[in-house]
Amino acid sequence: MAELQSSVTGRRPIQGLLLDLDGVVHVRGKAWPGSLEAIARVRTANIPLKFVTNTTRVPRRRIVEDLGQMGLQVAMEDVFTPAISARAFLLRENLAPFLVAHPDLREDFAGLPEQGREAVVLGDACAHFTYDTLNVAFRKILRGAEFLALANNRNFLDRDGELSLDLGAFVSALEYASHRKALVLGKPSPLFFALAVDSLGCAAEDVAMIGDDAEADVGGAMAAGLMGVLVQTGKYRPGQEKELDPPATFVAQNLTDAIDFLLF
Protein backbone atom coordinates (compact mmCIF):
# COMPACT_ATOMS: atom_id res chain seq x y z
CA MET A 1 0.00 0.00 0.00
CA ALA A 2 1.36 3.44 -0.95
CA GLU A 3 2.20 5.71 1.93
CA LEU A 4 0.17 8.90 2.20
CA GLN A 5 2.32 12.00 2.53
CA SER A 6 1.49 15.47 3.80
CA SER A 7 3.52 18.68 3.92
CA VAL A 8 0.95 20.33 6.20
CA THR A 9 1.11 20.12 9.97
CA GLY A 10 -1.46 22.75 10.94
CA ARG A 11 -4.26 23.38 8.45
CA ARG A 12 -7.67 24.98 8.18
CA PRO A 13 -10.76 23.66 6.41
CA ILE A 14 -10.95 24.35 2.69
CA GLN A 15 -13.50 26.84 1.39
CA GLY A 16 -13.48 25.64 -2.22
CA LEU A 17 -12.30 22.73 -4.35
CA LEU A 18 -11.01 22.33 -7.90
CA LEU A 19 -11.08 18.79 -9.22
CA ASP A 20 -9.37 17.31 -12.27
CA LEU A 21 -11.43 14.82 -14.24
CA ASP A 22 -9.53 12.31 -16.37
CA GLY A 23 -7.38 10.10 -14.17
CA VAL A 24 -9.00 11.34 -10.96
CA VAL A 25 -12.79 11.11 -11.27
CA HIS A 26 -12.74 8.67 -14.16
CA VAL A 27 -10.22 6.64 -16.13
CA ARG A 28 -10.79 5.77 -19.78
CA GLY A 29 -14.46 6.75 -19.54
CA LYS A 30 -15.31 4.80 -16.39
CA ALA A 31 -15.80 6.31 -12.95
CA TRP A 32 -12.91 5.54 -10.61
CA PRO A 33 -14.13 3.38 -7.69
CA GLY A 34 -15.38 5.62 -4.89
CA SER A 35 -15.03 8.87 -6.85
CA LEU A 36 -18.74 9.62 -7.18
CA GLU A 37 -19.27 8.97 -3.47
CA ALA A 38 -16.35 11.27 -2.62
CA ILE A 39 -17.83 14.07 -4.73
CA ALA A 40 -21.19 13.55 -3.05
CA ARG A 41 -19.50 14.10 0.34
CA VAL A 42 -18.06 17.40 -0.87
CA ARG A 43 -21.47 18.53 -2.05
CA THR A 44 -23.10 17.45 1.22
CA ALA A 45 -20.53 19.56 3.06
CA ASN A 46 -21.64 22.55 0.94
CA ILE A 47 -18.11 23.20 -0.30
CA PRO A 48 -18.10 25.03 -3.65
CA LEU A 49 -16.76 22.68 -6.32
CA LYS A 50 -15.60 23.21 -9.89
CA PHE A 51 -14.15 20.73 -12.36
CA VAL A 52 -11.02 21.75 -14.28
CA THR A 53 -9.65 19.76 -17.17
CA ASN A 54 -7.00 20.24 -19.84
CA THR A 55 -8.94 18.14 -22.33
CA THR A 56 -8.79 19.85 -25.72
CA ARG A 57 -10.24 17.18 -27.99
CA VAL A 58 -13.92 17.46 -27.09
CA PRO A 59 -16.22 20.43 -26.37
CA ARG A 60 -17.48 21.25 -22.90
CA ARG A 61 -20.96 20.06 -23.81
CA ARG A 62 -19.64 16.56 -24.48
CA ILE A 63 -17.68 16.51 -21.23
CA VAL A 64 -20.83 17.33 -19.26
CA GLU A 65 -22.83 14.71 -21.16
CA ASP A 66 -20.18 12.03 -20.60
CA LEU A 67 -20.08 12.80 -16.88
CA GLY A 68 -23.85 12.46 -16.75
CA GLN A 69 -23.65 9.01 -18.31
CA MET A 70 -21.25 8.02 -15.50
CA GLY A 71 -23.80 9.15 -12.94
CA LEU A 72 -22.26 12.54 -12.16
CA GLN A 73 -24.60 15.46 -12.82
CA VAL A 74 -22.65 18.66 -13.46
CA ALA A 75 -23.78 22.09 -14.66
CA MET A 76 -22.07 23.45 -17.77
CA GLU A 77 -20.77 26.49 -15.90
CA ASP A 78 -19.08 24.26 -13.32
CA VAL A 79 -16.66 22.81 -15.89
CA PHE A 80 -13.60 24.84 -16.85
CA THR A 81 -11.70 23.92 -19.99
CA PRO A 82 -8.86 25.62 -21.86
CA ALA A 83 -11.16 26.18 -24.84
CA ILE A 84 -13.63 28.17 -22.73
CA SER A 85 -10.74 30.21 -21.28
CA ALA A 86 -9.43 30.83 -24.81
CA ARG A 87 -12.86 31.86 -26.05
CA ALA A 88 -13.12 34.48 -23.30
CA PHE A 89 -9.64 35.78 -24.18
CA LEU A 90 -10.43 35.99 -27.91
CA LEU A 91 -13.68 37.87 -27.26
CA ARG A 92 -11.99 40.28 -24.87
CA GLU A 93 -9.18 41.02 -27.34
CA ASN A 94 -11.43 40.92 -30.43
CA LEU A 95 -9.27 38.29 -32.12
CA ALA A 96 -10.16 35.94 -34.98
CA PRO A 97 -8.98 32.39 -34.18
CA PHE A 98 -7.02 30.17 -36.54
CA LEU A 99 -7.75 26.84 -34.91
CA VAL A 100 -5.28 23.99 -34.96
CA ALA A 101 -7.42 21.61 -32.97
CA HIS A 102 -9.60 18.53 -33.16
CA PRO A 103 -12.69 19.23 -35.32
CA ASP A 104 -14.99 18.30 -32.43
CA LEU A 105 -13.70 21.28 -30.44
CA ARG A 106 -14.85 23.85 -32.98
CA GLU A 107 -18.28 24.28 -31.40
CA ASP A 108 -16.66 25.93 -28.37
CA PHE A 109 -15.36 28.65 -30.71
CA ALA A 110 -18.57 29.18 -32.71
CA GLY A 111 -19.61 32.79 -33.31
CA LEU A 112 -16.18 34.35 -32.84
CA PRO A 113 -14.82 36.96 -35.28
CA GLU A 114 -13.66 35.59 -38.63
CA GLN A 115 -11.89 38.73 -39.78
CA GLY A 116 -9.42 41.13 -38.19
CA ARG A 117 -6.41 40.48 -35.97
CA GLU A 118 -5.64 36.78 -35.86
CA ALA A 119 -4.67 34.40 -33.10
CA VAL A 120 -3.27 30.93 -33.68
CA VAL A 121 -5.01 28.64 -31.18
CA LEU A 122 -3.19 25.35 -30.72
CA GLY A 123 -5.08 22.39 -29.26
CA ASP A 124 -4.70 18.62 -29.29
CA ALA A 125 -5.59 17.86 -32.89
CA CYS A 126 -4.54 14.23 -32.48
CA ALA A 127 -4.51 12.53 -35.90
CA HIS A 128 -5.51 15.85 -37.48
CA PHE A 129 -2.06 17.36 -36.90
CA THR A 130 -0.40 17.73 -40.31
CA TYR A 131 2.78 19.41 -41.46
CA ASP A 132 0.81 21.73 -43.75
CA THR A 133 -1.48 22.92 -40.96
CA LEU A 134 1.36 23.45 -38.51
CA ASN A 135 3.34 25.31 -41.17
CA VAL A 136 0.42 27.66 -41.87
CA ALA A 137 0.20 28.31 -38.12
CA PHE A 138 3.96 28.91 -37.98
CA ARG A 139 3.80 31.49 -40.78
CA LYS A 140 0.89 33.30 -39.16
CA ILE A 141 2.83 33.53 -35.90
CA LEU A 142 5.84 34.90 -37.79
CA ARG A 143 3.59 37.56 -39.32
CA GLY A 144 2.49 38.70 -35.87
CA ALA A 145 -0.57 36.61 -35.01
CA GLU A 146 -1.14 36.00 -31.30
CA PHE A 147 0.06 32.55 -30.23
CA LEU A 148 -2.29 30.75 -27.82
CA ALA A 149 -1.85 27.22 -26.52
CA LEU A 150 -4.80 25.49 -24.91
CA ALA A 151 -2.45 23.38 -22.77
CA ASN A 152 1.19 22.46 -22.44
CA ASN A 153 1.06 18.93 -20.99
CA ARG A 154 3.86 16.49 -21.76
CA ASN A 155 1.70 13.36 -21.96
CA PHE A 156 -1.68 11.90 -21.06
CA LEU A 157 -3.10 8.51 -20.12
CA ASP A 158 -4.62 7.12 -23.32
CA ARG A 159 -7.54 4.71 -23.63
CA ASP A 160 -5.17 1.77 -24.05
CA GLY A 161 -3.75 2.41 -20.58
CA GLU A 162 -0.42 3.75 -21.91
CA LEU A 163 0.96 7.28 -21.89
CA SER A 164 0.65 9.16 -25.20
CA LEU A 165 2.24 12.32 -26.56
CA ASP A 166 0.31 15.41 -25.50
CA LEU A 167 0.05 18.97 -26.80
CA GLY A 168 3.21 20.28 -25.13
CA ALA A 169 5.50 18.79 -27.76
CA PHE A 170 3.67 20.62 -30.56
CA VAL A 171 3.66 23.88 -28.58
CA SER A 172 7.42 23.56 -28.09
CA ALA A 173 7.95 22.89 -31.80
CA LEU A 174 6.19 26.11 -32.84
CA GLU A 175 7.90 28.09 -30.08
CA TYR A 176 11.30 26.81 -31.23
CA ALA A 177 10.63 27.57 -34.90
CA SER A 178 9.09 31.02 -34.38
CA HIS A 179 11.16 32.31 -31.43
CA ARG A 180 7.81 33.16 -29.80
CA LYS A 181 6.40 31.96 -26.49
CA ALA A 182 2.83 30.76 -26.44
CA LEU A 183 0.32 32.13 -23.97
CA VAL A 184 -0.88 28.97 -22.24
CA LEU A 185 -4.56 29.15 -21.31
CA GLY A 186 -4.97 25.77 -19.59
CA LYS A 187 -3.25 24.24 -16.57
CA PRO A 188 -0.64 25.09 -15.27
CA SER A 189 -1.36 28.70 -16.31
CA PRO A 190 -2.04 31.03 -13.34
CA LEU A 191 -4.68 32.70 -15.52
CA PHE A 192 -6.61 29.44 -15.79
CA PHE A 193 -6.51 28.78 -12.05
CA ALA A 194 -7.46 32.39 -11.27
CA LEU A 195 -10.54 32.13 -13.50
CA ALA A 196 -11.68 28.95 -11.74
CA VAL A 197 -10.94 30.28 -8.24
CA ASP A 198 -12.85 33.50 -8.94
CA SER A 199 -15.92 31.43 -9.76
CA LEU A 200 -15.75 29.81 -6.31
CA GLY A 201 -16.00 33.15 -4.52
CA CYS A 202 -13.13 32.55 -2.11
CA ALA A 203 -9.42 33.28 -1.78
CA ALA A 204 -6.87 31.09 -3.57
CA GLU A 205 -5.20 30.05 -0.31
CA ASP A 206 -8.52 28.56 0.86
CA VAL A 207 -8.91 26.41 -2.27
CA ALA A 208 -7.45 22.96 -2.92
CA MET A 209 -6.72 21.44 -6.32
CA ILE A 210 -6.81 17.65 -6.68
CA GLY A 211 -5.11 16.11 -9.72
CA ASP A 212 -3.01 13.26 -11.06
CA ASP A 213 -0.54 15.48 -12.96
CA ALA A 214 2.23 16.58 -10.59
CA GLU A 215 3.39 19.34 -12.92
CA ALA A 216 0.23 20.82 -14.43
CA ASP A 217 -2.33 20.12 -11.70
CA VAL A 218 -0.43 20.28 -8.43
CA GLY A 219 2.61 22.38 -9.28
CA GLY A 220 0.51 24.83 -11.28
CA ALA A 221 -2.07 25.17 -8.52
CA MET A 222 0.52 25.76 -5.82
CA ALA A 223 2.30 28.35 -7.96
CA ALA A 224 -1.07 30.14 -8.19
CA GLY A 225 -1.44 30.13 -4.40
CA LEU A 226 -3.71 27.11 -3.96
CA MET A 227 -3.21 23.92 -1.97
CA GLY A 228 -2.16 21.04 -4.22
CA VAL A 229 -3.19 17.42 -3.67
CA LEU A 230 -1.64 14.73 -5.86
CA VAL A 231 -3.50 11.43 -6.31
CA GLN A 232 -1.69 8.24 -7.27
CA THR A 233 -4.15 7.31 -10.01
CA GLY A 234 -4.43 8.04 -13.73
CA LYS A 235 -1.20 9.29 -15.29
CA TYR A 236 0.64 9.39 -11.96
CA ARG A 237 3.94 7.50 -11.93
CA PRO A 238 5.87 6.55 -8.74
CA GLY A 239 8.23 9.24 -7.51
CA GLN A 240 6.66 12.19 -9.33
CA GLU A 241 5.82 13.87 -6.03
CA LYS A 242 9.57 14.19 -5.39
CA GLU A 243 9.84 16.52 -8.38
CA LEU A 244 7.62 19.14 -6.74
CA ASP A 245 9.22 22.11 -4.99
CA PRO A 246 7.54 23.10 -2.76
CA PRO A 247 6.14 19.64 -2.03
CA ALA A 248 2.49 18.82 -2.56
CA THR A 249 0.16 19.71 0.28
CA PHE A 250 -0.81 16.04 0.35
CA VAL A 251 -0.19 12.87 -1.65
CA ALA A 252 -3.12 10.44 -1.61
CA GLN A 253 -3.79 7.02 -3.06
CA ASN A 254 -7.00 8.14 -4.76
CA LEU A 255 -9.77 10.72 -4.69
CA THR A 256 -11.46 9.14 -1.67
CA ASP A 257 -8.28 9.46 0.41
CA ALA A 258 -7.78 13.03 -0.82
CA ILE A 259 -11.28 14.03 0.27
CA ASP A 260 -10.77 12.29 3.62
CA PHE A 261 -7.71 14.50 4.15
CA LEU A 262 -9.33 17.75 3.06
CA LEU A 263 -12.55 17.29 5.01
CA PHE A 264 -10.83 15.81 8.07
Side-chain angles (χ1 to χ4, degrees), residues 54-59 82-84 86 90 97-109 119-130 133-134 137 147-151 167 170-171 174:
N54 263 9
T55 298
T56 64
R57 288 190 185 181
V58 296
I84 297 305
L90 293 165
F98 175 76
L99 289 178
V100 182
H102 195 285
D104 289 350
L105 197 66
R106 292 188 175 276
E107 70 177 68
D108 280 346
F109 293 89
V120 170
V121 181
L122 192 63
D124 182 5
C126 191
H128 300 276
F129 276 123
T130 67
T133 301
L134 287 170
F147 182 13
L148 310 180
L150 297 185
L167 181 57
F170 298 92
V171 175
L174 284 180

Side-chain angles (χ1 to χ4, degrees), residues 94 132-133 169:
N94 195 30
D132 287 344
T133 301

Side-chain angles (χ1 to χ4, degrees), residues 23-27 30-37 233-234 253-255:
V24 178
V25 174
H26 62 85
V27 176
K30 295 184 179 180
W32 187 266
S35 66
L36 301 187
E37 293 80 3
T233 55
Q253 288 179 300
N254 50 43
L255 180 57

Side-chain angles (χ1 to χ4, degrees), residues 151-173:
N152 201 25
N153 297 69
R154 300 177 190 274
N155 51 60
F156 68 97
L157 186 67
D158 219 329
R159 290 188 174 271
D160 61 1
E162 299 288 338
L163 293 179
S164 287
L165 190 68
D166 210 338
L167 181 57
F170 298 92
V171 175
S172 294

